[in-house]
Amino acid sequence: QIAALYNLNFASLETEKVCHNLLVNNSCAVLFGMDGNVYEFLNDKFSQITIYSQVSILTEYFSVQSRPVHLKQMFVNLRTNFIDLYCYDRGFILLNNSYVCSSMADSSYSIRYVWKQLGMDKQNDELYIVNHTKSPNDELIAMLGKFVRKISVLSGQQYDSSDFDTQMQPFDMRSLL
């Protein structure tokens, strides 16, 4: 049944394994596909492995972070040629989606479009940019600052660990610590 739901949105590939993660904090599930050979290899090598989609990890993390706040929040995960938007109203999912963005102008447009469609308030609601580098993306912040008053950068600085350098880890991995 899970594969049938997944295949309503994505073409079925012969070697693809459809997996899912239950999001307890949001009472929903994330369906995702992965290469069947990789899935079999991981299950053979590690007997009690749990495979998580990046979307699942960040959705749960941002949901918990936004629950105590009584306004809408948008979290922007910047990736090469993509942005992932995670939008919440008091911790409950409004929208999770990815957009192809080849430039900062594309990213700014996508963020502003979703912001408007969700009826987010430019004076009171909050925008968080997940920063994968040590310096914030000033160009994007400058573009968005004209339309959104409350912009913050999540850099992972609060996840210091003496065991290893968390600054070299992707934000989704740091959020598991």
Side-chain angles (χ1 to χ4, degrees):
Q1 186 177 5
I2 291 172
L5 286 173
Y6 180 82
N7 291 330
L8 289 174
N9 292 303
F10 301 100
S12 179
L13 301 174
E14 191 173 313
T15 61
E16 187 172 50
K17 169 71 175 166
V18 177
C19 303
H20 71 284
N21 300 136
L22 298 176
L23 305 184
V24 177
N25 292 324
N26 291 286
S27 301
C28 65
V30 171
L31 306 179
F32 62 98
M34 67 180 295
D35 184 273
N37 295 324
V38 172
Y39 179 84
E40 286 181 29
F41 173 79
L42 291 172
N43 276 300
D44 288 345
K45 292 290 182 189
F46 308 101
S47 60
Q48 295 187 359
I49 190 169
T50 302
I51 299 170
Y52 290 98
S53 166
Q54 179 189 33
V55 170
S56 301
I57 295 165
L58 293 176
T59 299
E60 287 289 86
Y61 177 75
F62 293 143
S63 174
V64 170
Q65 298 303 309
S66 67
R67 194 143 287 153
V69 180
H70 296 290
L71 43 85
K72 293 179 184 175
Q73 294 176 309
M74 177 185 289
F75 297 86
V76 179
N77 184 36
L78 299 171
R79 299 186 291 141
T80 305
N81 296 324
F82 292 92
I83 60 168
D84 305 314
L85 301 183
Y86 301 84
C87 304
Y88 299 89
D89 187 356
R90 296 174 191 89
F92 297 99
I93 297 173
L94 293 174
L95 173 116
N96 284 7
N97 207 353
S98 296
Y99 300 89
V100 176
C101 296
S102 58
S103 68
M104 281 301 137
D106 289 347
S107 297
S108 175
Y109 174 82
S110 297
I111 292 166
R112 288 183 289 125
Y113 179 78
V114 170
W115 188 275
K116 183 178 178 184
Q117 292 300 312
L118 294 178
M120 297 179 81
D121 185 313
K122 69 181 188 176
Q123 294 297 318
N124 296 314
D125 292 333
E126 299 173 336
L127 174 67
Y128 293 91
I129 298 174
V130 176
N131 187 22
H132 292 284
T133 64
K134 292 187 179 184
S135 61
N137 195 317
D138 295 331
E139 180 185 1
L140 182 61
I141 292 171
M143 287 179 184
L144 295 170
K146 300 172 188 173
F147 305 98
V148 179
R149 190 174 68 100
K150 295 181 180 179
I151 300 176
S152 299
V153 176
L154 298 177
S155 64
Q157 302 264 342
Q158 63 269 36
Y159 301 104
D160 289 335
S161 171
S162 58
D163 296 337
F164 58 92
D165 182 10
T166 57
Q167 294 303 309
M168 298 305 294
Q169 304 298 320
F171 187 84
D172 56 334
M173 297 302 291
R174 291 190 306 243
S175 69
L176 290 171
L177 298 177

